[in-house]
Each structure stands twice: as C-alpha cells, then as structure tokens.
C-alpha cells in the first residue's frame, strides 16, 4: 500500500507510460502522509475496448485510482488527488480534435482486511 492504478484509452498515441508512472509515484511519495516510498506500487495499462458516452467524434480518457489504507483526512486525499491530476494533465497527449477526460479517484482500503507481507 498505496497502490496506484492508471488506465487509459488506447487511442492516445505517444503516452509516455514509464515517465508518467515514475512522475506519479514520485508525486505520491512527496506527500507527507506517505511514510515509506517502498510501499508505493504503480502500474499502467492501455484499454483497447471502451466506450465514452454516445456522441460522435474522437474521445479518450485517462483515469488514476490511488488505493490507500483508510484513515487519511479528506484534505490529504484532495492533495494527493491534485498531485496526481497535475501529472496526468501535463503528460497525457491530447490529439487535435479529440476530447480527453482526465480523472482521479482516491479509494480507501479496509485496514482490518488488508494483508501485506515482505519476502
């Protein structure tokens, strides 16, 4: 914990996956509520099959979900969301004429049922 999942529509050519993940994990680790940088795990995946609304025209999306153990304040969650959104907006391509949606969600994981081991 934390786990950072990034999913994006495959019609965003040139999205710099590794750079984006590196900058996102660095942004999350920079927040004072994150105790150990080793705990932050990030992954990214392009989605081939998707539908965005019902209208015509090219559309794309990128969405990040940061999953944290429960207990952080709403202010801390908002700060983390803003840090993630800034990186997504800066690095997500937006081809001419395409509407691209950027979204971030902070999800609480239940402390009582979460398990982590180190091998």
């Amino acid at each position: 914990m934390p786990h950072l999942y990034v999913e994006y529509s495959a019609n965003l050519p040139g999205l710099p996956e590794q750079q984006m993940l590196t900058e996102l994990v660095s942004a999350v680790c920079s927040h004072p509520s994150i105790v150990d940088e080793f705990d932050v795990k990030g992954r990214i995946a392009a989605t081939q099959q998707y539908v965005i609304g019902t209208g015509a025209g090219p559309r794309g999306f990128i969405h990040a979900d940061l999953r944290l153990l429960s207990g952080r304040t709403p202010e801390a969650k908002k700060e983390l969301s803003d840090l993630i959104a800034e990186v997504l907006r800066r690095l997500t391509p937006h081809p001419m004429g395409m509407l691209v949606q950027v979204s971030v969600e902070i999800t609480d994981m239940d402390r009582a049922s979460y398990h982590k081991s180190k091998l």
Side-chain angles (χ1 to χ4, degrees), residues 36-87:
D36 187 352
E37 56 79 25
F38 182 71
D39 288 338
V40 182
K41 280 119 0 232
R43 69 277 277 163
I44 190 167
T47 299
Q48 300 296 324
Q49 302 297 321
Y50 57 90
V51 175
I52 303 171
T54 60
R59 297 174 177 186
F61 75 88
I62 187 160
H63 176 77
D65 180 14
L66 180 64
R67 299 180 188 182
L68 303 163
L69 287 177
S70 57
R72 288 184 175 76
T73 66
E75 294 79 18
K77 292 177 192 178
K78 172 73 168 111
E79 291 166 359
L80 284 160
S81 180
D82 290 345
L83 287 169
I84 292 167
E86 187 281 321
V87 173

Side-chain angles (χ1 to χ4, degrees), residues 1-4 25 28-29 34-43 67 69 72 114 116 118:
M1 172 304 297
H3 292 273
L4 177 65
V25 168
V28 170
C29 288
I34 305 303
V35 178
D36 187 352
E37 56 79 25
F38 182 71
D39 288 338
V40 182
K41 280 119 0 232
R43 69 277 277 163
R67 299 180 188 182
L69 287 177
R72 288 184 175 76
Y114 184 76
K116 178 177 85 173
K118 293 182 182 178

Side-chain angles (χ1 to χ4, degrees), residues 6 8 12 19-22 32 36 38 44-45 58 82 88 91 107:
V6 179
Y8 67 94
L12 298 175
Q19 177 187 357
M20 182 174 278
L21 269 182
T22 299
D36 187 352
F38 182 71
I44 190 167
D82 290 345
L88 295 180
L91 294 179
T107 304

